[in-house]
Amino acid sequence: MRARLAAVTAAVLGLSGCAAPAAFTGDERRVQVVTTTGILADLVRNVGGDRVLVDSLVPDDADPHGYEPTLRDVRNTVYADLAFSNYLLLEPAAVIKALDANLRDGVPNISLAEGATKYAAEIIPLVENVSLDTIWLGLRARGTGAEYGVTRSSDVRLTATRAEGPGRLLAYLTGSFGAPEMVFDSAAQQGTVVLPADAHTHMSWAFTEPGVYRLTLRADLAIEADAGTVPLGENTFTFAVGVDPHSVPGMAGADVLGHGHADLTADIDSGELYLYADPHGGGEAHQHRHDPARTVIEVPAKALQEVPGGAAFRFLGRDRVYQLPQAVLGRHVHGEIDPHLWQDAGNAMAYTELIRDTLIGVDPAGTGAYRENADRYLRELTALDAYLTETIASIPASRRYLVTTHDAFGYLAKAYGIPVAGFVTPNPAAEPSLADRRKLTETLRTLRIRAVFLEPNLRARSSTLVEVAREQDVAVCDIYGDAFDGRITTYLAMMRFNADSLKRCLS
């Protein structure tokens, strides 16, 4: 343990030139608690009071879905006496691995979203807005991997081993601020995507010429770092690009997937690769396996798009490409359960009770203080729940619609009766078309939307929504989802701000 800590400290000194002040030390008498996000840190401070010292890995103003831990984060994790994450795949793999790999043996490592269900937290499916007029195609790692002892730090690696077709086949991710990152490129005949177990991700797919393309993927399971891999198989997937998908040579009578949500899937439990598809956008319960040998993925002629100007997308060429868009902007790896439980104050109460009981287990001498603090905070959360209910209910029903750019508000919608009219994101790999803008304009007009809502830390993603809102004389207002900032620094303040912002902008 001391050797590992010394190595981490040496690395910090070597890279920074001087040791940054450490939040946690070996001499601290308080319980040192590391959390993944500022929201969780605030809940812990309210329950722990003076008996705890809390540090959040993800700083305020950062996107918890894409944060990369620093060496200082690693050092604090090594000293921690207790760790809380949200998980349900909210945090990126880098944050979870930094947490799991650097906690000392025996230190409790609690996933609050999963654990809070024992305290009556309610979970809901993650409902994705599959409103594209082409198929929404991603990658998936499916299964629990119980046979192999898979943990949340395990990886499934999907590698492109062969690609053929009349032009280039490219798959890429578009980051939070619009910068593309190549995943697969047939010209290089290589590329690998890494996913946690039981998760999926979205990406853009581009094809430079019409015709039939075939992509072969191999899957491997890495249970622990540097511990070797378990092969999960290999399979080939067929695309009909700008041609009749029912006339692909050698595939007469094949199923054609051209709408809804589908993933090229590696199954950890069965060791197979297949298509897992929901052609109607109904969610996990409506998804079915499709044999790649008898299935064609349709990329229709209407998928032909102009390549955006600028150097960032020059790898696509300088003319037009056939494209299946990523649809969800940024690195968006997730499972089937919506992880944003805290948007329902009742779930924050369940988090609070789990935090209380965990702190008591780590520090029994503080039992009285933790119970007293938790009781006080639960009363404040009860009052918050009533405030949210009353405030949002006071918005006229005909105006009570939420339009935003991030799918973080399903729990708010369900708990407090404010329907989500849509998650509005432009195709991240192409300039928004006139049809895209027309659909958004019609949504705002038809529902007579008075305001759209953007998270302050995600405004850089939302230029199209802002432009159309201004054209339609629709207000653009703030709402907080995953992170605090310099203005909002506590969970209670965040949720009250959201309710007040909704009422002010929609009434």
Side-chain angles (χ1 to χ4, degrees):
M1 172 62 217
R2 292 182 182 276
R4 179 170 66 174
L5 181 56
V8 171
T9 304
V12 173
L13 287 168
L15 290 180
S16 66
C18 61
F24 294 176
T25 71
D27 300 325
E28 178 61 54
R29 293 185 178 183
R30 291 170 290 180
V31 179
Q32 298 180 124
V33 184
V34 63
T35 70
T36 52
T37 72
I39 292 172
L40 302 185
D42 180 56
L43 299 182
V44 174
R45 290 187 186 101
N46 274 280
V47 178
D50 295 337
R51 297 187 69 88
V52 301
L53 178 64
V54 186
D55 181 55
S56 169
L57 296 182
V58 181
D60 292 344
D61 282 323
D63 181 356
H65 298 283
Y67 179 72
E68 292 288 335
T70 66
L71 286 172
R72 183 178 179 278
D73 295 330
V74 172
R75 186 185 189 281
N76 281 354
T77 301
V78 170
Y79 274 120
D81 303 306
L82 175 60
F84 289 108
S85 59
N86 187 81
Y87 209 50
L88 283 180
L89 291 163
L90 173 85
E91 299 92 345
V95 170
I96 292 300
K97 288 182 179 181
L99 197 63
D100 293 356
N102 291 287
L103 285 173
R104 289 168 292 144
D105 292 342
V107 169
N109 188 5
I110 308 299
S111 298
L112 284 166
E114 287 93 333
T117 58
K118 297 177 182 178
Y119 294 79
E122 296 185 9
I123 59 174
I124 61 176
L126 183 62
V127 179
E128 298 175 315
N129 183 29
V130 188
S131 59
L132 301 175
D133 55 4
T134 59
I135 194 169
W136 181 358
L137 187 67
L139 298 176
R140 179 182 294 262
R142 186 168 181 242
T144 64
E147 175 186 353
Y148 304 108
V150 166
T151 70
R152 66 182 191 174
S153 293
S154 301
D155 291 326
V156 174
R157 300 171 183 172
L158 286 157
T159 302
T161 59
R162 181 177 175 81
E164 56 185 25
R168 288 175 70 194
L169 181 161
L170 306 106
Y172 60 97
L173 292 165
T174 303
S176 299
F177 300 100
E181 176 185 331
M182 187 66 67
V183 177
F184 302 139
D185 182 355
S186 62
Q189 292 289 329
Q190 63 181 6
T192 297
V193 172
V194 178
L195 291 174
D198 207 22
H200 66 277
T201 190
H202 311 284
M203 61 183 58
S204 293
W205 301 79
F207 307 82
T208 60
E209 300 291 340
V212 176
Y213 292 74
R214 288 186 168 88
L215 173 67
T216 301
L217 295 180
R218 184 189 72 237
D220 300 282
L221 170 65
I223 302 168
E224 296 181 3
D226 304 321
T229 60
V230 177
L232 296 177
E234 187 173 85
N235 218 328
T236 299
F237 301 87
T238 302
F239 300 80
V241 179
V243 298
D244 181 7
H246 299 282
S247 302
V248 174
M251 300 192 71
D255 294 333
V256 174
L257 296 179
H259 298 281
H261 184 184
D263 292 312
L264 311 184
T265 299
D267 194 310
I268 304 171
D269 297 328
S270 69
E272 301 172 277
L273 275 78
Y274 50 77
L275 275 155
Y276 196 53
D278 169 18
H280 304 295
E284 168 79 6
H286 299 272
Q287 290 185 292
H288 304 281
R289 290 178 46 160
H290 294 260
D291 180 1
R294 295 193 51 77
T295 306
V296 175
I297 301 164
E298 181 184 12
V299 185
K302 64 184 176 182
L304 191 61
Q305 302 280 342
E306 296 286 343
V307 174
F313 291 96
R314 200 165 290 162
F315 66 91
L316 293 173
R318 297 181 180 274
D319 192 7
R320 296 192 294 174
V321 295
Y322 294 84
Q323 180 160 264
L324 301 178
Q326 180 173 324
V328 177
L329 192 60
R331 287 184 167 273
H332 202 80
V333 177
H334 58 78
E336 303 302 329
I337 301 299
D338 189 336
H340 305 89
L341 277 72
W342 60 87
Q343 288 292 335
D344 177 347
N347 286 340
M349 295 179 201
Y351 277 30
T352 298
E353 293 182 51
L354 176 53
I355 291 167
R356 175 200 63 205
D357 292 348
T358 306
L359 285 171
I360 289 172
V362 170
D363 177 26
T367 297
Y370 297 137
R371 290 193 183 279
E372 182 178 348
N373 292 341
D375 288 346
R376 172 195 50 77
Y377 194 52
L378 287 169
R379 289 193 295 271
E380 293 179 2
L381 291 174
T382 299
L384 171 67
D385 188 52
Y387 183 83
L388 294 169
T389 300
E390 179 181 353
T391 303
I392 293 174
S394 70
I395 303 169
S398 62
R399 300 177 181 178
R400 202 183 307 150
Y401 291 102
L402 177 59
V403 177
T404 185
T405 59
H406 183 203
D407 54 351
F409 301 97
Y411 289 95
L412 183 77
K414 183 176 184 295
Y416 305 107
I418 179 165
V420 177
F423 314 129
V424 184
T425 52
N427 174 352
E431 294 297 325
S433 68
L434 291 177
D436 294 330
R437 298 179 71 96
R438 190 178 302 117
K439 288 178 183 178
L440 174 55
T441 300
E442 289 174 357
T443 297
L444 298 182
R445 285 176 176 172
T446 301
L447 295 177
R448 298 180 181 178
I449 300 295
R450 298 174 64 90
V452 297
F453 295 84
L454 305 181
E455 294 171 75
N457 66 323
L458 301 181
R459 278 187 175 270
R461 303 182 183 184
S462 313
S463 58
T464 297
L465 178 57
V466 171
E467 290 170 6
V468 174
R470 288 174 177 167
E471 290 170 4
Q472 298 303 311
D473 196 26
V474 170
V476 179
C477 299
D478 285 342
I479 192 169
Y480 287 82
D482 297 321
F484 298 147
D485 61 11
R487 173 175 55 173
I488 298 295
T489 58
T490 71
Y491 172 74
L492 293 173
M494 180 185 83
M495 296 301 289
R496 285 180 174 269
F497 177 94
N498 286 353
D500 293 341
S501 183
L502 289 166
K503 181 176 180 178
R504 180 179 64 254
C505 295
L506 295 178
S507 296

